[in-house]
């Protein structure tokens, strides 16, 4: 956990006071809506279909139990008893009243969290690997650099009015769990000749015009992280298209100029500033590193007898197979809490669940919780011997569905049930799919399969990078869905291919099931995953079957 | 993109003016008296572009009560009351079609 200093605390309190005043002036009519809207957006407040929504930033997805309890309190006091975790490691409250927002924000500020930079054309919350600091395959904890970026980017005066929003993701592991190739900037920590640095990718993004990010620098020494980012942002701020909101993201600039020309401009700007104030020396980095308090993990051995005994129980073994990941410290494990119960809205969590999870984190996980971009929660540090007891406790509160990484671990945007930009609903499709695939043994047999759903082309549900992507389109007031196949968001990211015309709402679940059945018939062995089979066979055999008459 | 906020004004059939209440975002409908009602059934209904423009202007001049006003297609009951025609307005009138994670009773 990063511990905020007095500067951060004062800053947040002042910010809440400022917003309280702005709300009061809006409610009294002293501020017009036109004047107020940008102010509320700068604090993460949106107006949705039927209420205000507050998006709260969870820096690099890391929460402590006290913060999670504060989120529970806000959900209970100011909302309807639940919150929605998002693909950007944030949480959204869907029903907050304008007049009560300052109070809710004040409670969050007490524990160091806020909605700043969760909206508007600024540098958004930097996202990272939910397993950061615990994963066996990571070089270094990427959150250190996410925090460096946070301190540089928060209210950066030059980058507060960018052409459009700007999202950065960072990973330090071999397996990219942060979808870095579909962000405006993706950073991948690397080591070269004993030095730490980054591969820098730009111009990735989903939405209406999806692109995979292009590498513009293979290796950027870590000291140069901020000056290089500043050079990228300057190149974008000056050259990005402000004339057309649909062409304003950096991905369009990179695409129109070509990545080489974009890189040249960045390099030229960077040469002018690289040795200036933004250079990160060891003292600056270690000053930030010192504020990260990581748990002292006791020396333990892998495979304790408690675990071995529990694995004889099939239900525990099934959960363990997909929800528990290897930890870098022996005798420990990383546990994913599934927020994808059968029939439930993906990513929703009740206040009671949040409280219970916070207590369990204190008891079993050194008080630390992460938000995963797949809309699940994670306990990054759990003693292996505690896994059986933890499993029982998680199951009792409904967050141990053994489906992590499987077909029912669906990413879904809020869709038309909440979102004013939506074409169609998306949550109900996810709910029906989880009901269709409710059998634990069946989904375990199907294996790894990501289904991602968005209710419109903005692609908040990452449908382009779902192994099966579902996009809602509206035709004459009816809900239809397009299906894409073969997308993926990892280091070999690629966009899914559209299999054909949109399918009516009443048939979408059957169509997905037929795709899955086609895979089961055509796979060479259970070891060949869905995505591997699509890559081997192409979309044709799937396409034929998806539309097959029943 | 079908968000009515982004569409050009094209009037085809009965149309009502709707917005979100400033204080809490609750969906409201412009009434014949120029006020706002929580009930779509009390909405004033126009059928010509001129009439819709006139009502929109009234709605937009009252931004201290309701924000984001736009023209929504509606249908009429035999008694002449507006009811939603599309899913978007049905959801705005009736709330989400899903039961959120075990939320307590929904507020009215
Ligand atoms: C409910 C209110 C929401 C609104 C109004 C909204 C609006 C938008 C819009 C307009 C874009 C496209 C921006 C662009 O391409 O320039 C976008 C992108 C995105 N949204 Fe949302 N969103 C909402 C909720 C969410 C939620 C709940 C999530 C996470 C589950 C989310 C995650 C994302 C992501 C990851 C992108 C980036 C896609 C990309 O790479 O372009 N959004 N959102
Ligand atoms: S993808 Fe579209 S429908 Fe879904 S949350 Fe984003 S803007 Fe709304």
């Amino acid at each position: 956990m990063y511990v905020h200093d007095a500067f951060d605390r004062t800053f947040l309190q002042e910010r809440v006071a400022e917003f309280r005043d702005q709300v009061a002036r809006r409610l009294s009519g002293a501020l017009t809506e036109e004047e107020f809207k940008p102010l509320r957006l700068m604090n993460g407040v949106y107006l949705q279909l039927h209420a205000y929504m507050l998006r709260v930033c969870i820096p690099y997805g890391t929460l402590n139990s006290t913060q999670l309890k504060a989120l529970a309190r806000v959900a209970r006091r100011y909302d309807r008893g639940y919150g929605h975790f998002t693909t950007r490691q944030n949480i959204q409250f869907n029903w907050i009243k304008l007049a009560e927002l300052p109070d809710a924000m004040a409670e969050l500020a007490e524990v160091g969290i806020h909605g700043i930079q969760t909206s508007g054309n600024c540098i958004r919350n930097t996202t990272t690997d939910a397993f950061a600091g615990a994963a066996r395959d990571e070089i270094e904890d990427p959150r250190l650099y996410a925090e460096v970026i946070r301190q540089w980017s928060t209210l950066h005066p030059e980058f507060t009015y960018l052409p459009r929003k700007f999202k950065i993701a960072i990973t330090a592991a071999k397996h990219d769990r942060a979808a870095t190739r579909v962000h405006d900037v993706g950073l991948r920590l690397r080591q070269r000749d004993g030095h730490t640095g980054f591969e820098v990718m730009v111009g990735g993004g989903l939405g209406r015009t999806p692109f995979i990010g292009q590498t513009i620098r293979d290796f950027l020494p870590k000291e140069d992280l901020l000056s290089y980012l500043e050079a990228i942002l300057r190149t974008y701020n000056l050259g990005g298209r402000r004339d057309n909101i649909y062409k304003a993201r950096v991905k369009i600039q990179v695409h129109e100029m070509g990545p080489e020309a974009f890189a040249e401009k960045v390099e030229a700007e960077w040469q002018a500033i690289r040795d200036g104030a933004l250079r990160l020396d060891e003292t600056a980095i270690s000053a930030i590193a010192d504020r990260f308090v990581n748990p002292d993990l006791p020396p333990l051995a892998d495979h304790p007898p408690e675990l071995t005994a529990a694995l004889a129980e099939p239900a525990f073994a099934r959960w363990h197979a997909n929800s528990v990941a290897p930890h870098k410290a022996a005798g420990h494990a990383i546990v994913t809490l599934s927020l994808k119960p059968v029939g439930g809205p993906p990513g929703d969590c009740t206040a009671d669940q949040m409280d219970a999870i916070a207590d369990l984190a204190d008891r079993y996980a050194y008080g630390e919780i992460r938000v995963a971009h797949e809309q699940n929660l994670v306990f990054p540090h759990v003693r292996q011997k505690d896994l059986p007891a933890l499993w029982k406790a998680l199951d009792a509160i409904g967050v141990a569905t053994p489906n992590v990484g499987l077909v029912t671990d669906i990413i879904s945007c809020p869709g038309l049930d909440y979102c004013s930009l939506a074409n169609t609903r998306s949550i109900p499709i996810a709910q029906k799919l989880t009901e269709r695939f409710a059998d634990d043994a069946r989904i375990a047999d199907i294996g790894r399969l990501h289904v991602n759903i968005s209710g419109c082309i903005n692609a908040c549900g990452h449908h382009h990078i779902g192994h099966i992507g579902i996009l809602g389109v509206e035709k004459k007031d009816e809900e239809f869905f397009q299906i894409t196949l073969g997308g993926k968001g990892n280091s070999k990211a690629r966009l899914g291919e559209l299999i054909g015309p949109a399918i009516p709402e009443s048939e979408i679940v059957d169509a997905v099931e037929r795709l899955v059945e086609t895979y089961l018939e055509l796979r060479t062995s259970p070891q060949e995953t869905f995505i591997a089979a699509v890559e081997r066979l192409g979309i044709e055999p799937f396409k034929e079957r998806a539309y097959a008459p029943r | 993109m079908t968000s009515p906020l982004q569409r050009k004004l094209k009037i085809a059939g009965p149309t009502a003016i709707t917005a979100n209440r400033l204080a809490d975002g609750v969906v409201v409908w412009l009434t014949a008296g120029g006020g706002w009602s929580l009930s779509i059934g009390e909405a004033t209904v126009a059928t010509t572009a001129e009439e819709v423009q006139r009502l929109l202007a009234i709605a937009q001049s009252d931004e201290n009560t309701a924000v984001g006003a736009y023209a929504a297609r509606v249908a009429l009951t035999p008694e002449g009351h507006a009811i939603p025609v599309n899913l978007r307005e049905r959801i705005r009138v009736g709330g989400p079609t899903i039961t959120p994670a075990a939320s307590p009773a929904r507020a009215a």
Side-chain angles (χ1 to χ4, degrees), chain A residues 26 29 33 47 49-52 80 82 95 98 208 348 350 416-417 420 423 425 427-428 431 474 477 479, chain B residues 1-3 20 22-25 27 63-64 67 73 86-88 91-92 96-101 103-104 107:
Chain A
R26 177 68 190 104
E33 184 63 14
L47 182 53
L49 271 191
H50 20 223
Y52 288 94
R80 295 191 184 174
Y82 68 101
W95 302 99
L98 186 57
R208 161 180 312 264
D348 275 13
T350 65
L416 191 55
D417 285 295
S420 57
N423 288 330
R425 294 172 296 166
I427 294 170
Q431 291 176 304
E474 183 226 84
D477 288 344
E479 296 174 291
Chain B
M1 178 68 55
T2 49
S3 167
N20 294 88
L22 173 68
D24 54 10
V27 173
E63 281 213 317
N64 287 340
V67 295
R73 275 186 299 131
N86 58 17
L87 183 59
R88 176 188 169 92
I91 290 174
R92 286 180 79 248
T97 62
I98 51 171
T99 317
S103 61

Side-chain angles (χ1 to χ4, degrees), chain A residues 413-416 419-424 426 453-461:
Chain A
C413 79
L416 191 55
C419 173
S420 57
L421 303 177
N423 288 330
T424 67
S426 42
I453 312 176
S454 306
C456 84
I457 195 70
N458 286 321
C460 304

